[in-house]
Amino acid sequence: MMADFFASGHAADLILAVLMAEALWLRLRRGWHWRAVAALLGPAALIVLGLRAALTGADWWWIALPLAASLPLHLMDLSARLAAPPKP
């Protein structure tokens, strides 16, 4: 049963749904700008998409593309955090 859950990619779908709920919470409840939400959660979502591709037996490039695309978003988030003044 769990093997089918993972082999079908539904485990990754569940993680993506949780990430979407977190994005909505950050945007609507905490007032974050969509760019900040995308910079924070985008890399995770892309990595999970790569995981989903791997779990479902996709070609290697379907796995590699989202993993490679996660790096620019991660660097965008990192640069914004390093440029922000430190919090007391």
Side-chain angles (χ1 to χ4, degrees), residues 1-81:
M1 184 161 154
M2 286 301 284
D4 292 334
F5 180 65
F6 279 86
S8 67
H10 292 312
D13 294 339
L14 179 62
I15 296 167
L16 287 169
V18 170
L19 285 171
M20 179 60 76
E22 183 178 0
L24 289 171
W25 180 78
L26 287 170
R27 176 69 178 124
L28 299 175
R29 296 288 185 176
R30 302 290 294 192
W32 284 32
H33 190 273
W34 277 115
R35 181 179 171 151
V37 173
L40 179 68
L41 298 179
L46 288 168
I47 290 169
V48 173
L49 285 174
L51 169 67
R52 188 182 198 294
L55 289 173
T56 58
D59 289 332
W60 69 269
W61 51 273
W62 281 111
I63 301 165
L65 281 175
L67 294 178
S70 70
L71 179 61
L73 281 178
H74 172 67
L75 292 176
M76 184 174 76
D77 180 50
L78 183 61
S79 66
R81 290 177 188 274

